[in-house]
Amino acid sequence: MVAKLPEKEHPKQSFGWAARDQSGVLSPFKFSRRATGEKDVSFKVLYCGMCHSDIHMVKNEWGSSTYPLVPGHEIVGVVTEVGSKVEKFKVGDKVGVGCMVGSCHSCDNCTNNLENYCPQMILTYGAKYYDGTTTYGGYSDNMVADEHFIVRIPDNLPLDATAPLLCAGITVYSPLKYYGLDKPGLHVGVVGLGGLGHMAVKFAKAMGAKVTVISTSPNKQQEAIERLGADSFLVSRDQDQMQVAMGTMDGIIDTVSAMHPLLPLLGLLKSHGKLILVGAPEKPLELPAFPLLMGRKMVGGSCIGGMKETQEMVDFAAKHGITSDIEVIPIDYVNTAIERMLKADVRYRFVIDIGNTIK
């Protein structure tokens, strides 16, 4: 059987930007999406956030990419069509799709609203859907997904600055809740002040925590405290500062994806403190045992969140007025934006204005 061209695979014509190979350079791409099934919601994409994992994927740094690849899993827009059995959404609703569009619905994780840990979870882009076709992400003009994986965006949230909540937001909200760091009066550290880190500061503050940002860049101090509302700032390379803060934190959300030492972070924790990793360094980190034993400390991890919790997170953000700090860009700026992201030259998330610039 001859493989169908991407634009002939499905009935619904779509247009986006795709990487064609490991160079990761994106360019215009015609493809197609499936017709709206009975449980599907189709929507016009208005904005899509740029996540660091988009860069890993377009460059095949995790070894799982297939091309052509349309990235984007912080997708928001307006519903254009719903299937006959869709119950929760109607045409005109503001909606979003995050990192996943499918799961098995029958394993323990799925039954417990943890589709994000389902072994058969289907990623929003670069994966195989149930029908065997490739999933394409949000750097494109339209989207279709099963209603189970659609998030409602409350009216008081601006669409552009809400898009990054669907990956960056849930990635930090979920561990704060699960590891019990959402109680007022706790002292929470946030390592790294990028797309994830700045959201962690906002959510932890809204949950009532005292928040300290831990960063290698002293020049982010004013920003962290004045703009994002952190209570204090530690330069991780400053031995004296780190020494003074030893044993003061109940938990730390570590958002750094580069190689970095864990030992100094474990030192900042109180007894029974928790160091939670949400960044994904490519090589294994060094984890000494003694600092864990002396103080019964733990190192944990967390990966996005289930659909129920993702909706809860967006509703929490709406209630507390939490959005991402963004720089809105046209689609044809996307390759430059990738270069700037690699230099950490963004405060703190690029969001592509799909609705006005994809033609």
Side-chain angles (χ1 to χ4, degrees):
M1 189 179 125
V2 182
K4 287 187 174 178
L5 290 169
E7 63 262 43
K8 298 275 187 352
E9 208 164 43
H10 296 291
K12 193 178 291 185
Q13 290 308 295
S14 302
F15 180 65
W17 279 51
R20 303 308 206 281
D21 54 47
Q22 296 193 1
S23 70
V25 176
L26 295 156
S27 56
F29 174 60
K30 285 182 180 162
F31 65 107
S32 55
R33 295 199 186 271
R34 67 181 184 272
T36 311
E38 56 183 25
K39 293 286 286 172
D40 285 337
V41 171
S42 292
F43 64 95
K44 175 179 166 59
V45 177
L46 295 179
Y47 297 98
C48 185
M50 292 182 72
C51 173
H52 213 92
S53 49
D54 296 345
I55 301 180
H56 290 299
M57 287 296 288
V58 297
K59 294 179 180 288
N60 195 23
E61 287 170 2
W62 289 334
S64 61
S65 304
T66 53
Y67 300 95
L69 185 137
V70 177
H73 60 204
E74 300 179 341
I75 316 164
V76 293
V78 174
V79 176
T80 51
E81 189 181 14
V82 296
S84 56
K85 293 191 174 164
V86 167
E87 291 165 7
K88 293 185 280 187
F89 301 96
K90 61 182 190 311
V91 172
D93 284 353
K94 294 201 288 193
V95 295
V97 163
C99 305
M100 54 185 172
V101 291
S103 70
C104 79
H105 299 293
S106 58
C107 68
D108 278 356
N109 288 317
C110 284
T111 343
N112 289 306
N113 296 305
L114 295 169
E115 303 89 346
N116 49 316
Y117 299 123
C118 171
Q120 292 169 42
M121 172 182 69
I122 299 172
L123 295 172
T124 299
Y125 66 86
K128 284 274 174 271
Y129 203 61
Y130 304 114
D131 59 7
T133 61
T134 299
T135 59
Y136 294 114
Y139 295 18
S140 63
D141 58 3
N142 61 20
M143 187 72 195
V144 55
D146 183 293
E147 78 164 325
H148 185 81
F149 295 93
I150 300 265
V151 176
R152 176 181 303 285
I153 311 289
D155 280 336
N156 66 324
L157 286 176
L159 280 180
D160 53 1
T162 298
L165 295 181
L166 298 173
C167 169
I170 187 61
T171 296
V172 297
Y173 178 91
S174 185
L176 285 167
K177 299 284 285 189
Y178 179 78
Y179 290 102
L181 300 174
D182 57 341
K183 314 278 182 290
L186 292 182
H187 184 188
V188 174
V190 174
V191 191
L193 197 58
L196 292 174
H198 93 287
M199 292 311 313
V201 172
K202 292 184 183 199
F203 276 115
K205 282 300 293 177
M207 290 166 179
K210 175 190 170 191
V211 177
T212 297
V213 170
I214 304 151
S215 171
T216 52
S217 330
N219 58 344
K220 286 186 179 172
Q221 174 157 358
Q222 190 180 357
E223 188 118 9
I225 292 172
E226 292 174 15
R227 181 161 152 190
L228 300 173
D231 297 283
S232 51
F233 189 91
L234 278 179
V235 179
S236 52
R237 295 195 173 113
D238 184 325
Q239 296 302 316
D240 297 340
Q241 282 189 25
M242 293 291 278
Q243 192 62 41
V244 172
M246 292 272 282
T248 62
M249 296 179 192
D250 297 285
I252 295 174
I253 303 288
D254 183 350
T255 71
V256 175
S257 283
M259 294 301 292
H260 60 292
L262 297 181
L263 185 62
L265 300 177
L266 292 169
L268 295 173
L269 293 170
K270 296 176 182 173
S271 293
H272 335 297
K274 299 159 185 170
L275 170 60
I276 312 304
L277 310 181
V278 292
E282 284 161 45
K283 296 192 177 72
L285 299 170
E286 197 169 293
L287 181 62
F290 267 105
L292 294 182
L293 311 185
M294 309 315 291
R296 199 162 62 177
K297 297 174 184 180
M298 65 186 269
V299 177
S302 187
C303 185
I304 55 171
M307 294 315 301
K308 182 167 182 262
E309 189 174 47
T310 302
Q311 185 65 62
E312 181 190 296
M313 175 273 309
V314 170
D315 295 342
F316 180 94
K319 183 180 168 190
H320 293 273
I322 296 173
T323 52
S324 179
D325 290 19
I326 60 169
E327 179 178 332
V328 177
I329 59 164
I331 187 72
D332 58 12
Y333 187 77
V334 67
N335 292 306
T336 310
I338 288 176
E339 296 303 317
R340 283 181 54 194
M341 281 165 78
L342 291 170
K343 295 189 294 226
D345 173 24
V346 55
R347 293 281 190 276
Y348 283 91
R349 204 55 147 197
F350 285 118
V351 172
I352 309 164
D353 181 350
I354 302 281
N356 290 312
T357 67
I358 268 209
K359 296 285 182 273

